[in-house]
């Protein structure tokens, strides 16, 4: 296995910006049962992760732990070819505690302060879908390689005398970067040919004939995005709660894609196999400021500011290419691990306003509204990502989120429900569609301990391109995500 320290960037794209900027409703079963509409309520460890003032609502020190079973179903349509896939797993996705310290000075307006620490899994990257169909748009994977080869000197993607193909792949990546490597793959697999057999040639044509192309594309990913929050909060007088979270974030994301393409068009190349593997790890920092005010014993308002998250990210890739005319030694390219320099990603900030009405001890209704401008997502260093950052500001836009929740209590039981709607972060509203979700939950109060269970579900439709350049035809994916969550919480 070879290790490669790249001199130029890997092909980060807008989907990476969206993936690491979005967060799912995770956390305790009670939090999920109200679809995350907890910004003006507090008194829940996941509510503390949403609004840091929420820990000051606790009257006693409190802890909770949560496990959730996630079931993701994808129904994919690609040129009329229909496939269905399913991924299911169980994870511990929340845990934390808040410690309440009452102020014994009765003359002070500061009634208490709290210190807390909480872990929340903010996004689940486990995903699998399969696009199978006959491309009738005359779009083949050859367009991907031709896009990268355009303007590249033939000498820069050719083997030297006696050079092994895997060594050439490694050296080209080290000197010229990702784009030249892709052109090299296409040339060495005989997918493309130079217009002139000259070292200075910079134009190429395809060894595939026009027509239809049978394509089978597999997408598989695993991993998660999580954060650990260090919380400080306080209560002022009887009606104001203030708090701050200092958050440590981490990313673990693994992705594999595989395209098998064949065609009956009668040219030199009639079968291609192209695989890509990506491993992404990262860490980041953000902070949150929040407040909750009781306007009356029944009515509360909340306001939260989520800062950008500043990530430092590292990536490794491997690739495999083959065709019916490629030399068998081309398989050794798959042994080369490309290790890329660190890059930084700043996700957009978010503002959340919240309202809640509490019916004595009988129940409550709550509403949260959030807004985030995904167009403010930024990769750095800027000189390497100018074009990408400009594209992000054009393609991504403001997205609003609406969350509603309600709870009714009867003796030791609590009955809960929620609804949420999230706008697409894309200006076209199609690449990633709007999200609609609902939730139902049940809780039982044993006194000092509470047990909660929730079922929640969301749906959205995405139009996902197979590749960022060249073969950009989209697969329409109807996504359904269902969760069963169980939480145990108790006073300390």
């Amino acid at each position: 296995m070879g290790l490669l320290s790249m001199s130029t960037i890997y092909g980060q794209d807008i989907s990476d910006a969206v993936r690491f900027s979005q967060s799912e409703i995770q956390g305790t079963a009670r939090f999920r049962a109200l679809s995350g509409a907890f910004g003006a309520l507090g008194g829940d460890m996941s509510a503390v992760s949403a609004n840091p003032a929420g820990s000051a609502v606790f009257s006693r020190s409190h802890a909770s732990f949560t496990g959730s079973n996630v079931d993701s179903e994808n129904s994919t349509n690609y040129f009329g070819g229909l496939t269905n896939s399913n991924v299911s797993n169980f994870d511990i996705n929340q845990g934390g505690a808040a410690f309440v310290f009452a102020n014994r000075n009765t003359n002070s307006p500061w009634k208490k302060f709290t210190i807390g620490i909480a872990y929340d899994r903010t996004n689940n990257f486990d995903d699998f879908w399969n696009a199978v169909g006959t491309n009738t748009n005359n779009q083949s994977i050859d367009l991907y390689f031709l896009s990268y080869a355009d303007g590249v000197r033939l000498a820069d993607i050719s083997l030297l005398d006696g050079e092994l193909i895997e060594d050439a792949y490694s050296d080209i990546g080290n000197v010229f970067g990702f784009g030249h490597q892709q052109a090299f793959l296409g040339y060495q697999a005989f997918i493309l040919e130079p217009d002139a057999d000259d070292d200075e040639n910079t134009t190429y044509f395809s060894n595939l004939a026009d027509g239809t192309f049978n394509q089978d594309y597999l997408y598989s990913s695993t991993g998660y995005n999580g954060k650990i929050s260090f919380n400080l909060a306080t209560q002022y007088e009887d009606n104001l709660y203030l708090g701050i979270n200092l958050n440590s974030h981490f990313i673990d994301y693994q992705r594999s894609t595989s395209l098998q393409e064949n065609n009956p068009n009668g040219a030199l190349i009639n079968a291609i196999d192209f695989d890509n593997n990506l491993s992404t790890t990262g860490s980041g920092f953000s902070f949150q400021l929040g407040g909750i005010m009781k306007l009356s014993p029944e009515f509360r308002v909340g306001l939260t500011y989520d800062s950008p998250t500043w990530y430092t990210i590292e990536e490794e890739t491997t690739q495999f290419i083959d065709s019916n005319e490629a030399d068998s030694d081309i398989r050794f390219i798959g042994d080369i691990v490309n290790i890329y320099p660190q890059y930084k990603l700043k996700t957009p900030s978010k503002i959340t306003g919240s309202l809640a009405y509490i019916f004595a001890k009988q129940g409550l209704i709550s509403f949260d509204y959030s807004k985030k401008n995904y167009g403010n997502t930024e990769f750095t260093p800027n000189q390497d990502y100018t074009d990408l950052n400009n594209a992000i500001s054009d393609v991504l836009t403001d997205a609003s989120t609406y969350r509603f929740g309600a709870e009714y209590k009867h003796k030791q039981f609590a009955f809960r429900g929620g609804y949420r709607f999230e706008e697409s972060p894309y200006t076209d509203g199609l690449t990633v569609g709007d999200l609609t979700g609902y939730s139902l939950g049940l809780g039982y109060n044993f006194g000092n301990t509470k047990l909660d269970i929730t079922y929640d579900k969301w749906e959205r439709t995405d139009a996902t391109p197979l590749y960022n350049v060249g073969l950009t035809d989209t697969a329409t994916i109807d996504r359904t995500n269902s969760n069963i969550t169980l939480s145990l919480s108790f006073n300390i």
Side-chain angles (χ1 to χ4, degrees):
M1 178 177 291
L3 299 179
L4 173 62
S5 177
M6 300 295 291
S7 61
T8 58
I9 62 170
Y10 172 60
Q12 286 82 22
D13 57 43
I14 294 174
S15 66
D16 297 317
V18 174
R19 179 184 308 108
F20 301 133
S21 297
Q22 286 186 314
S23 60
E24 253 298 329
I25 291 183
Q26 302 281 336
T28 67
R30 186 178 180 223
F31 182 81
R32 298 180 77 145
L34 272 67
S35 290
F38 254 92
L41 292 174
D44 181 278
M45 286 310 304
S46 289
V48 174
S49 182
N51 184 340
S55 64
V57 176
F58 288 120
S59 58
R60 297 175 58 183
S61 298
H62 183 86
S64 66
F65 300 92
T66 301
S68 181
N69 187 79
V70 182
D71 186 84
S72 299
E73 296 182 9
N74 294 322
S75 179
T76 306
N77 185 333
Y78 186 67
F79 287 94
L82 301 177
T83 58
N84 294 288
S85 57
N86 177 271
V87 175
S88 183
N89 60 72
F90 177 84
D91 287 302
I92 302 298
N93 66 338
Q94 182 276 330
F99 302 93
V100 179
F101 302 90
N103 190 349
R104 300 185 182 275
N105 181 1
T106 57
N107 295 322
S108 173
W110 301 97
K111 301 300 182 181
K112 62 187 172 187
F113 70 93
T114 61
I115 298 175
I117 183 170
Y119 162 76
D120 279 281
R121 177 169 290 199
T122 56
N123 212 338
N124 177 22
F125 297 138
D126 291 356
D127 194 16
F128 177 84
W129 53 272
N130 185 199
V132 180
T134 300
N135 192 313
T136 56
N137 286 346
N138 194 32
Q139 302 287 300
S140 164
I141 190 61
D142 67 341
L143 297 176
Y144 172 90
F145 299 107
L146 287 168
S147 295
Y148 281 109
D150 185 35
V152 172
R153 293 173 66 246
L154 178 60
D156 296 336
I157 57 172
S158 298
L159 294 175
L160 301 176
D161 290 341
E163 187 177 25
L164 297 177
I165 192 169
E166 64 270 27
D167 292 339
Y169 171 80
S170 178
D171 291 341
I172 288 170
N174 191 48
V175 175
F176 298 109
F178 174 80
H180 277 63
Q181 277 186 324
Q182 307 317 293
F184 174 82
L185 293 177
Y187 179 51
Q188 295 301 323
F190 293 94
I191 296 170
L192 55 86
E193 292 284 355
D195 285 343
D197 189 13
D198 186 297
D199 285 349
E200 300 304 316
N201 176 82
T202 58
T203 57
Y204 301 83
F205 66 92
S206 173
N207 276 324
L208 282 71
D210 292 344
T212 60
F213 299 89
N214 303 313
Q215 294 166 342
D216 186 343
Y217 180 89
L218 282 172
Y219 177 102
S220 176
S221 65
T222 61
Y224 62 95
N225 199 336
K227 73 173 181 178
I228 297 176
S229 300
F230 300 91
N231 170 259
L232 293 172
T234 186
Q235 178 183 347
Y236 182 81
E237 296 290 359
D238 294 324
N239 60 353
L240 180 62
Y241 306 88
L242 301 171
I244 182 173
N245 284 344
L246 303 178
N247 304 313
S248 176
H249 298 258
F250 41 92
I251 294 170
D252 184 1
Y253 174 66
Q254 317 293 321
R255 182 183 71 208
S256 296
T257 65
S258 174
L259 176 71
Q260 291 185 338
E261 177 184 287
N262 60 75
N263 70 81
N265 303 327
L268 179 67
I269 300 296
N270 56 47
I272 300 172
D273 187 358
F274 183 42
D275 301 343
N276 287 271
N277 300 300
L278 168 68
S279 174
T280 303
T281 57
S283 59
F285 170 79
S286 72
F287 66 89
Q288 296 164 282
L289 301 173
I292 298 173
M293 177 174 283
K294 290 183 180 179
L295 301 181
S296 70
E298 300 83 14
F299 192 53
R300 299 181 184 182
V301 298
L303 183 66
T304 308
Y305 169 74
D306 288 71
S307 77
T309 301
W310 293 273
Y311 283 112
T312 299
I313 297 176
E314 298 178 339
E315 291 183 333
E316 298 180 5
T317 66
T318 59
Q319 295 187 287
F320 172 83
I321 185 73
D322 197 8
S323 75
N324 60 290
E325 290 293 328
D327 188 284
S328 61
D329 286 347
I330 204 167
R331 69 182 185 274
F332 293 115
I333 287 175
D335 295 332
I336 303 298
V337 178
N338 301 316
I339 302 176
Y340 298 91
Q342 288 183 348
Y343 68 90
K344 296 184 182 298
L345 174 67
K346 185 183 79 171
T347 69
S349 61
K350 182 176 71 172
I351 291 287
T352 303
S354 309
L355 303 172
Y357 191 89
I358 299 174
F359 302 93
K361 295 183 179 180
Q362 295 301 306
L364 59 89
I365 56 174
S366 60
F367 168 70
D368 281 11
Y369 170 77
S370 302
K371 192 166 188 177
K372 180 187 290 188
N373 186 354
Y374 288 87
N376 290 335
T377 308
E378 183 180 19
F379 289 89
T380 55
N382 290 322
Q383 64 270 19
D384 291 335
Y385 294 97
T386 301
D387 291 341
L388 178 57
N389 290 333
N390 290 337
I392 287 172
S393 63
D394 292 336
V395 174
L396 302 183
T397 186
D398 287 336
S400 296
T401 299
Y402 307 83
R403 299 177 180 177
F404 300 87
E407 179 180 69
Y408 173 74
K409 294 182 179 180
H410 178 70
K411 296 183 179 180
Q412 284 82 21
F413 289 95
F415 305 91
R416 304 170 181 129
Y419 169 83
R420 62 173 168 141
F421 176 79
E422 298 181 10
E423 293 179 339
S424 168
Y426 283 80
T427 54
D428 63 13
L430 298 174
T431 306
V432 172
D434 296 335
L435 181 149
T436 301
Y438 67 87
S439 51
L440 295 170
L442 177 67
Y444 188 85
N445 189 342
F446 293 92
N448 202 46
T449 303
K450 297 178 181 178
L451 185 66
D452 300 298
I453 188 169
T454 291
Y455 172 81
D456 66 275
K457 181 178 180 178
W458 60 256
E459 297 177 340
R460 77 185 329 156
T461 298
D462 299 342
T464 303
L466 300 193
Y467 295 90
N468 300 319
V469 298
L471 182 54
T472 56
D473 287 309
T474 61
T476 300
I477 308 172
D478 294 324
R479 300 183 181 273
T480 302
N481 183 284
S482 303
N483 304 272
I484 297 176
T485 304
L486 184 67
S487 293
L488 180 68
S489 59
F490 49 90
N491 295 322
I492 301 174

